[in-house]
Amino acid sequence: QVQLVESGGGLVQPGGSLRLSCAASGIVFSVNAMGWYRQAPGKQRELVARITSSGNTDYGDSVKGRFTISRDNAKNTVYLQMNSLKPDDTAVYYCNFRVRRLPTYDYWGQGTQVTVSS
């Protein structure tokens, strides 16, 4: 059974920082990519950051220069360092593991709430 457990969300003031973690267990296929997505009320889920198995990264335009994605393959964990947080960053953040199989399959974390407010 695959499990993705997220942690690190919470309430932070504008300009503050948070670090999200997502630890996966039970994945038996090679991981193509790990990523973070977020969804705010009334909005579509959007890409925040993504890192491929080769180490290439991709960031959503709204977070470039402020967020950094990293991973620890030995711990099957992906991180998201969020700096200079803005109220518009408020959303539920979901981690994602895309595995190499036929067909390609996505596993998702349970989501963690990030609220940026004064």
Side-chain angles (χ1 to χ4, degrees):
Q1 183 178 358
V2 174
Q3 290 185 300
L4 277 65
V5 180
E6 300 183 29
S7 63
L11 175 65
V12 65
Q13 295 185 173
S17 298
L18 286 173
R19 186 174 188 249
L20 306 183
S21 299
C22 178
S25 63
I27 297 179
V28 298
F29 296 97
S30 178
V31 177
N32 287 342
M34 308 173 189
W36 291 92
Y37 295 75
R38 68 186 183 188
Q39 187 167 22
K43 297 183 178 180
Q44 296 183 356
R45 185 172 298 189
E46 65 175 347
L47 171 71
V48 177
R50 176 176 175 266
I51 184 167
T52 69
S53 60
S54 62
N56 294 324
T57 58
D58 187 29
Y59 294 91
D61 289 340
S62 64
V63 308
K64 287 180 179 177
R66 300 187 297 120
F67 292 8
T68 303
I69 188 170
S70 61
R71 66 186 181 189
D72 186 336
N73 289 335
K75 297 181 179 180
N76 296 317
T77 301
V78 62
Y79 306 94
L80 184 68
Q81 179 66 47
M82 305 185 294
N83 298 325
S84 302
L85 283 162
K86 305 175 181 179
D88 285 347
D89 295 319
T90 296
V92 177
Y93 285 70
Y94 299 90
C95 67
N96 168 267
F97 281 58
R98 175 164 288 183
V99 298
R100 187 183 299 274
R101 53 162 285 178
L102 290 174
T104 301
Y105 191 82
D106 291 321
Y107 293 101
W108 295 91
Q110 81 281 5
T112 184
Q113 177 70 46
V114 172
T115 302
V116 184
S117 176
S118 299

